[in-house]
């Protein structure tokens, strides 16, 4: 018997077209009262503007306050909006202008292309530009370049203004160090916190280390500037800050042309203003503490401004967490039977919930290394010889020829882009065709650049691997057996260690292979 199934007609509500989910993004560049008022005005404007369209649904306002527009990585509101787009929670975005959205041409184009790829478009009010209907990326590229130039100009003017105040000694410290407050543009001492600073200096002069001082401050529930926990780094920052003597050294850091901040190690001028404000520590005690810090650094092979721990122990800076990617830190563990050295993931130390990787013992790493090297001594013909043969078969001349061909293709790609840009500028080329061609050229340029980088790395890296491998084989052929861990041997052949678990680690050899080894208890 035939079976008939009745299909009900679709309801009227299901046939109604879904509203366009619209979000807005706005940003102010500083946290001043006037700018925050501007932010509130923008929020009110966009809510009314979006809700005024019956076919639009307001799904949120994303904003950043007091955040620079030159780098998208520093803007939490923007990142949250992009995440919502990836989750298909937004269909359309409105923003005031390109300069409010991004002042970096590369970031602007990258984000626009990403959103278009997700089927999400943007409307820039000031420029009256809709990425859904614009004929090409050329307009957006020009406008965002102008915004970047404006940002650079503003940055340069700001730098000139700040440096001028540095020279005159009139620069106001907007964020004074612990123990001070900014009152009417002047640094004023906070008595109760100033006493804590004096206590930190006294403890340092008594011979206590920064981490010991930090631990004792935490145990006594002494408040920090931001309400968090004291660390050795924060204590060291106080002990090395000349502002506690009443002097102020300006331009300790500087920003490069790409808006990245660096420590000023002589690249830019610095300005020292003496008797800038009331002192908490006298110069004599401050200089004595600096001498103590230098002495401690000398004893531990620590040099200020360097990667201080890398030269201190043979394993320092070379153990990497296979779980979160952080480096391991050396610590001393105490038990009823005595003490032992262990290595612990830095992330696990600070946030146990973010990384569950526990410590590994120093002596167990040593045993694992000895075991691994002895396995190579007895089995190098199976493990290392095939790799050596494979590396020797790679032809260096073929790489050189391939690199030359790539360079030629890169030049042609650049010429092609220049020609079609000139043609569209003169009106000889259709804008739609130009957009497609420009996209193809950009994709080809990216592919060529990656291929060239791969070949260059292969050309230099392969030769280095061969030399390292030959040296390793030459060593173990003559070595009968390794009895104990040797610092020089480890440093010569091992690049770093990856910790997969408390029971297994991997030795990443300089010759390019990683050898896993079980931990020996």
């Amino acid at each position: 018997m035939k079976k008939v199934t009745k299909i009900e007609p679709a309801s009227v509500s299901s046939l109604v077209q879904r509203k366009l989910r619209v979000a807005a993004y706005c940003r102010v560049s500083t946290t001043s009262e006037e700018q925050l008022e501007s932010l509130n005005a923008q929020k009110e404007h966009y809510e009314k503007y979006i809700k005024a369209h019956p076919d639009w649904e307001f799904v949120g306002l994303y904003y950043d306050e007091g955040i620079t527009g030159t780098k998208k990585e520093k803007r939490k509101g923007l990142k949250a909006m992009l995440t919502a787009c990836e989750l298909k929670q937004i269909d359309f975005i409105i923003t005031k202008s390109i300069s409010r959205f991004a002042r970096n041409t590369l970031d602007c184009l990258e984000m626009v292309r990403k959103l278009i790829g997700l089927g999400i478009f943007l409307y820039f009010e000031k420029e009256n530009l809709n990425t859904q209907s614009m004929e090409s990326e050329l307009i957006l590229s020009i406008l965002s370049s102008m915004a970047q130039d404006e940002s650079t100009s503003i940055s340069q003017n700001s730098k000139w203004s700040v440096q001028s105040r540095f020279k005159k000694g009139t620069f106001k410290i907007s964020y004074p160090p612990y123990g001070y407050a900014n009152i009417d543009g002047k640094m004023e001492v906070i008595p109760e916190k100033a006493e804590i600073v004096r206590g930190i200096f006294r403890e340092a002069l008594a011979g206590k280390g920064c981490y010991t001082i930090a631990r004792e401050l935490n145990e006594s529930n002494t408040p920090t500037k931001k309400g968090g926990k004291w660390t050795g780094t924060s204590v060291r920052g106080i002990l090395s800050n000349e502002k506690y003597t009443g002097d102020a050294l300006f331009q300790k850091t500087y920003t490069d042309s790409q808006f990245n901040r660096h420590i000023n190690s002589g690249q830019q001028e610095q300005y020292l203003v003496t008797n800038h404000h009331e002192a908490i520590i006298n110069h004599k005690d401050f200089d004595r503490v600096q001498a103590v810090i230098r002495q401690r650094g000398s004893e531990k092979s620590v040099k200020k401004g360097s990667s201080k721990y890398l030269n201190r122990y043979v394993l320092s800076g070379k153990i990497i967490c296979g779980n979160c990617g952080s480096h391991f830190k050396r610590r001393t563990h105490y038990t009823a039977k005595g003490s032992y050295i262990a290595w612990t993931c830095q992330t696990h130390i600070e946030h146990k919930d973010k990384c569950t990787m526990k410590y590994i013992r120093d002596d167990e790493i040593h045993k694992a290394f000895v075991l691994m090297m002895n396995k190579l001594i007895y089995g190098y013909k199976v493990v290392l010889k095939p790799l050596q043969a494979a590396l020797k078969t790679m032809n260096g001349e073929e790489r050189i020829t391939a690199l030359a061909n790539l360079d030629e293709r890169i030049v042609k790609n650049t010429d092609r882009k220049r020609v079609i840009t000139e043609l569209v500028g003169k009106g000889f080329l259709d804008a739609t065709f130009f957009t497609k061609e420009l996209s193809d050229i950009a994709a080809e340029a990216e592919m060529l650049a990656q291929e060239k980088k791969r070949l260059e790395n292969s050309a230099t890296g392969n030769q280095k691997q061969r030399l390292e491998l030959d040296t390793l084989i030459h060593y173990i052929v003559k070595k009968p057996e390794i009895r104990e861990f040797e610092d020089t041997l480890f440093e010569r052949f091992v690049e770093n260690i990856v910790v997969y678990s408390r029971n297994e680690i991997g030795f990443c050899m300089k010759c390019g292979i990683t050898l896993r080894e079980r931990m020996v208890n």
Side-chain angles (χ1 to χ4, degrees):
M1 182 177 178
K2 294 181 179 180
K3 182 179 181 181
V4 179
T5 302
K6 182 180 179 181
I7 302 175
E8 298 292 341
S11 63
V12 176
S13 60
S14 66
L15 296 175
V16 176
Q17 186 176 3
R18 180 174 62 84
K19 289 185 177 182
L20 195 69
R21 297 170 298 178
V22 183
Y25 175 78
C26 57
R27 179 181 61 82
V28 293
S29 56
T30 71
T31 54
S32 66
E33 185 176 345
E34 294 81 1
Q35 290 284 29
L36 291 178
E37 289 178 2
S38 172
L39 175 62
N40 292 330
Q42 289 184 62
K43 290 167 67 176
E44 184 179 352
H45 162 71
Y46 284 120
E47 284 192 35
K48 291 181 178 178
Y49 182 80
I50 293 173
K51 291 179 179 179
H53 291 71
D55 55 339
W56 287 6
E57 177 188 356
F58 178 67
V59 293
L61 179 76
Y62 297 85
Y63 63 93
D64 290 300
E65 57 184 69
I67 305 294
T68 175
T70 55
K71 287 186 178 294
K72 66 178 188 296
E73 294 83 2
K74 297 182 179 180
R75 295 156 64 187
K76 294 181 180 179
L78 179 64
K79 292 171 69 175
M81 184 180 71
L82 294 176
T83 299
C85 290
E86 292 174 348
L87 296 174
K88 306 296 183 183
Q89 297 172 353
I90 298 174
D91 301 318
F92 192 64
I93 298 169
I94 298 175
T95 189
K96 183 178 180 180
S97 67
I98 292 174
S99 64
R100 294 289 91 186
F101 186 65
R103 283 190 175 172
N104 179 299
T105 306
L106 181 62
D107 282 352
C108 184
L109 292 175
E110 179 186 328
M111 287 187 285
V112 168
R113 288 170 181 166
K114 180 177 180 178
L115 291 170
I116 291 176
L118 294 170
I120 301 167
F121 303 97
L122 294 96
Y123 175 64
F124 300 98
E125 285 188 296
K126 181 179 178 180
E127 294 84 5
N128 191 26
L129 187 65
N130 189 327
T131 60
Q132 186 174 13
S133 59
M134 68 181 185
E135 295 178 342
S136 74
E137 289 184 339
L138 184 60
I139 298 174
L140 182 62
S141 178
I142 293 172
L143 292 174
S144 56
S145 295
M146 291 171 63
Q148 182 173 342
D149 291 341
E150 177 191 0
S151 179
T152 302
S153 176
I154 292 172
S155 175
Q156 290 174 344
N157 291 337
S158 177
K159 286 179 183 178
W160 179 87
S161 175
V162 170
Q163 287 177 347
S164 177
R165 282 176 280 159
F166 283 163
K167 293 177 182 179
K168 295 176 181 177
T170 58
F171 180 80
K172 295 180 181 179
I173 299 173
S174 58
Y175 193 74
Y178 186 87
Y180 288 99
N182 193 331
I183 300 175
D184 297 328
K186 294 183 179 180
M187 282 175 57
E188 301 287 348
V189 173
I190 304 174
E192 59 273 18
K193 291 187 177 179
E195 189 54 41
I196 294 172
V197 172
R198 295 187 187 100
I200 290 173
F201 274 83
R202 284 195 298 269
E203 298 291 351
L205 287 173
K208 291 184 180 180
C210 295
Y211 289 96
T212 301
I213 297 172
R215 186 182 71 247
E216 292 178 352
L217 288 170
N218 289 324
E219 290 174 351
S220 62
N221 295 319
T222 303
T224 65
K225 189 175 181 65
K226 295 183 178 180
K229 293 287 186 181
W230 290 93
T231 65
T233 302
S234 60
V235 170
R236 189 179 297 108
I238 287 177
L239 293 174
S240 60
N241 194 335
E242 85 293 334
K243 291 183 178 65
Y244 291 110
T245 66
D247 299 340
L249 180 63
F250 294 127
Q251 198 152 290
K252 293 180 181 179
T253 62
Y254 68 95
T255 304
D256 62 20
S257 59
Q258 299 301 314
F259 306 102
N260 296 311
R261 185 161 289 278
H262 304 277
I263 295 175
N264 186 1
S265 302
Q267 296 85 349
Q268 302 286 336
E269 291 180 335
Q270 291 185 321
Y271 307 88
L272 177 64
V273 181
T274 58
N275 300 318
H276 180 269
H277 52 272
E278 182 182 352
I280 294 177
I281 303 297
N282 61 59
H283 282 88
K284 182 179 179 181
D285 286 344
F286 183 82
D287 292 341
R288 287 171 61 195
V289 168
Q290 305 318 301
V292 170
I293 293 174
R294 287 193 296 270
Q295 179 61 29
R296 282 179 174 270
S298 176
E299 292 172 356
K300 299 175 181 178
S301 300
V302 176
K303 182 180 179 181
K304 185 177 180 181
S306 66
S307 298
K308 58 182 179 179
Y309 290 110
L310 295 184
N311 297 324
R312 189 170 172 184
Y313 304 105
V314 67
L315 298 180
S316 296
K318 292 189 176 182
I319 307 178
I320 301 170
C321 179
N323 187 19
C324 69
S326 294
H327 282 82
F328 274 51
K329 183 177 178 180
R330 188 179 188 270
R331 307 184 74 169
T332 303
H333 287 191
Y334 297 93
T335 67
K337 297 181 180 180
S339 63
Y340 60 89
I341 303 301
W343 296 86
T344 309
C345 172
Q346 183 70 37
T347 301
H348 181 78
I349 294 173
E350 297 174 356
H351 307 284
K352 292 183 179 180
D353 57 327
K354 293 185 179 180
C355 182
T356 58
M357 185 71 73
K358 296 184 178 180
Y359 71 88
I360 54 176
R361 291 178 58 128
D362 187 75
D363 54 355
E364 292 178 0
I365 298 174
H366 292 179
K367 292 176 183 178
F369 174 74
V370 171
L371 181 60
M372 182 270 296
M373 287 298 294
N374 284 328
K375 285 182 179 179
L376 283 181
I377 291 173
Y378 292 108
Y380 75 92
K381 292 182 180 179
V382 178
V383 179
L384 300 181
K385 282 292 186 180
L387 177 61
Q388 186 182 45
L391 290 174
K392 287 182 178 179
T393 58
M394 295 183 181
N395 193 327
E397 293 183 1
E398 291 178 358
R399 283 196 195 86
I400 295 174
T401 302
L403 281 169
N405 291 335
L406 276 174
D407 285 334
E408 185 177 348
R409 292 173 64 187
I410 290 171
V411 171
K412 290 181 178 179
N413 178 275
T414 304
D415 289 342
R416 183 180 163 202
K417 181 179 180 180
R418 177 181 54 79
V419 170
I420 69 164
T421 302
E422 291 177 354
L423 290 176
V424 76
K426 294 178 181 179
F428 297 145
L429 197 64
D430 180 69
T432 304
F433 177 77
F434 170 74
T435 301
K436 182 180 182 303
E437 284 292 297
L438 191 65
S439 178
D440 291 343
I441 290 171
E444 183 185 30
E446 178 66 20
M447 182 272 293
L448 292 172
Q450 290 183 2
E451 180 63 15
K452 183 178 180 179
K453 183 178 180 181
R454 187 190 68 78
L455 280 174
E456 287 176 339
N457 291 340
S458 174
T460 56
N462 178 53
Q463 183 179 6
K464 182 180 178 182
Q465 285 183 14
R466 284 181 56 185
L467 291 173
E468 290 290 346
L469 185 59
D470 290 345
T471 304
L472 177 59
I473 292 176
H474 179 74
Y475 173 82
I476 61 178
V477 164
K478 296 183 177 181
K479 192 77 174 178
E481 188 177 345
I482 298 174
R483 299 285 183 181
E484 58 184 17
F485 182 86
E486 299 175 20
D487 288 0
T488 54
L489 184 60
F490 177 87
E491 287 184 308
R492 179 61 191 86
F493 295 116
V494 179
E495 189 72 37
N496 52 55
I497 296 172
V498 177
V499 180
Y500 303 109
S501 70
R502 297 188 72 181
N503 300 316
E504 186 179 30
I505 61 176
F507 293 95
C508 302
M509 310 298 285
K510 292 182 179 179
C511 63
I513 61 172
T514 298
L515 300 171
R516 291 195 178 217
E517 192 60 63
R518 301 288 294 178
M519 300 291 282
V520 180
N521 295 322

